[in-house]
């Protein structure tokens, strides 16, 4: 929470002292997954599936030059991973939902009047984690468990993206996030360490 307050203060300070600062809101859709390897077992078929979530928050845009801008952001992001298991004709889906408060700082370079390429680091702070099992496999019951304590509280990553300005105030943006930190505190049996991967597309509105 202290980090969120400090980030909000940073937005206010920049707004007060920079004439080239603009404030905005943003929201969009996440297609989330994790970089993870699942061990093969005889008679069991497994496949990894994406998890669909949303992101919503605020941003500031600081003009450095005519083509170069810095964009600090603060937003809520719904991420995760799903594993589909098929055994003896029966199926189960194990889903991990991990939600974060995300603090990226994006560097934006305009290649023209409307298009921009973007890149920058981000720090994510875990808000909630839930493990769900939807199962028809005998001996593996369906369940939903809050499991935040089993996952690391922070995730450091790197973003790459593209932007397009529809108008003076409205922009479209796509982004791909590569997480470098292990999501789980302890690696689950039969799997490798998992790292977040998120593709997002959304809309930004500058005031």
């Amino acid at each position: 929470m202290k980090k969120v307050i400090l980030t909000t203060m940073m937005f206010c300070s920049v707004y007060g002292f920079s004439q080239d600062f603009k404030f905005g809101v943003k929201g969009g859709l996440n297609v989330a997954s994790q970089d993870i390897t699942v061990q093969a077992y005889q008679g069991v078929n497994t496949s990894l599936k994406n998890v669909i979530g949303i992101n919503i928050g605020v941003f500031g845009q600081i003009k450095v030059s005519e083509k170069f801008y810095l964009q600090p952001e603060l937003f809520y992001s719904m991420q995760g991973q799903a594993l589909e298991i098929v055994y003896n004709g029966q199926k189960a889906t194990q889903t991990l939902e991990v939600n974060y408060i995300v603090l990226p700082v994006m560097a934006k370079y305009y290649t023209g009047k409307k298009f921009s390429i973007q890149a920058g680091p981000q720090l994510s702070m875990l808000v909630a984690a839930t493990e769900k099992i939807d199962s028809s496999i005998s001996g593996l019951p369906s369940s939903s468990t809050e499991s935040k304590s089993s996952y690391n509280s922070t995730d450091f990553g790197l973003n790459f993206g593209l932007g397009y300005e529809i108008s003076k105030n409205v922009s479209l943006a796509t982004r791909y996030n590569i997480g470098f930190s292990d999501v789980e505190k302890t690696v689950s049996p039969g799997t490798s360490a998992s790292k977040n991967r998120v593709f997002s597309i959304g809309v930004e509105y500058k005031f």
Side-chain angles (χ1 to χ4, degrees):
M1 180 58 69
K2 289 182 179 179
K3 293 179 181 179
V4 175
I5 293 172
L6 288 172
T7 304
T8 304
M9 291 174 64
M10 178 192 72
F11 273 104
C12 295
S13 298
V14 172
Y15 182 79
F17 291 102
S18 175
Q19 294 180 348
D20 292 321
F21 177 86
K22 290 186 178 180
F23 175 79
V25 294
K26 59 174 292 178
L29 184 71
N30 290 338
V31 181
S33 61
Q34 291 178 350
D35 183 11
I36 183 173
T37 301
V38 180
Q39 181 179 339
Y41 293 95
Q42 186 175 3
V44 180
N45 294 320
T46 61
S47 58
L48 294 171
K49 304 292 183 181
N50 295 325
V51 170
I52 305 300
I54 63 170
N55 63 80
I56 185 167
V58 296
F59 67 92
Q61 192 175 86
I62 306 165
K63 182 178 180 181
V64 179
S65 68
E66 286 299 320
K67 291 189 175 183
F68 184 68
Y69 292 75
L70 289 177
Q71 183 165 306
E73 302 177 356
L74 171 64
F75 62 89
Y76 186 82
S77 181
M78 300 170 63
Q79 302 171 197
Q81 176 71 73
L83 175 66
E84 186 176 88
I85 304 166
V86 179
Y87 176 69
N88 285 341
Q90 299 175 317
K91 185 170 71 173
T93 301
Q94 182 176 348
T95 304
L96 169 64
E97 298 175 352
V98 281
N99 300 335
Y100 293 91
I101 294 292
V102 184
L103 306 169
V105 178
M106 302 296 291
K108 298 177 67 174
Y109 181 79
Y110 282 83
T111 58
K113 291 183 178 181
K114 295 182 178 294
F115 284 98
S116 65
I117 54 176
Q118 309 173 13
Q122 81 173 30
L123 174 67
S124 301
M125 294 172 289
L126 184 66
V127 176
T130 305
E131 297 175 352
K132 297 180 179 179
I133 298 177
D134 182 12
S135 175
S136 63
I137 297 177
S138 178
L140 181 62
S142 298
S143 63
S144 179
T145 307
E146 195 285 323
S147 54
K148 182 181 177 182
S149 61
S150 300
Y151 296 87
N152 289 312
S153 59
T154 58
D155 179 27
F156 180 76
L158 189 62
N159 296 313
F160 301 94
L162 298 172
Y164 177 76
E165 292 191 354
I166 299 175
S167 68
K168 181 180 178 180
N169 301 101
V170 180
S171 300
L172 295 177
T174 62
R175 185 176 299 179
Y176 186 69
N177 169 254
I178 302 171
F180 297 137
S181 307
D182 291 344
V183 177
E184 294 178 283
K185 290 181 179 179
T186 304
V187 178
S188 300
T191 65
S192 64
S194 56
K195 294 176 171 59
N196 284 313
R197 299 288 186 266
V198 184
F199 172 79
S200 62
I201 183 169
V203 178
E204 300 174 350
Y205 183 87
K206 290 182 293 187
F207 294 99

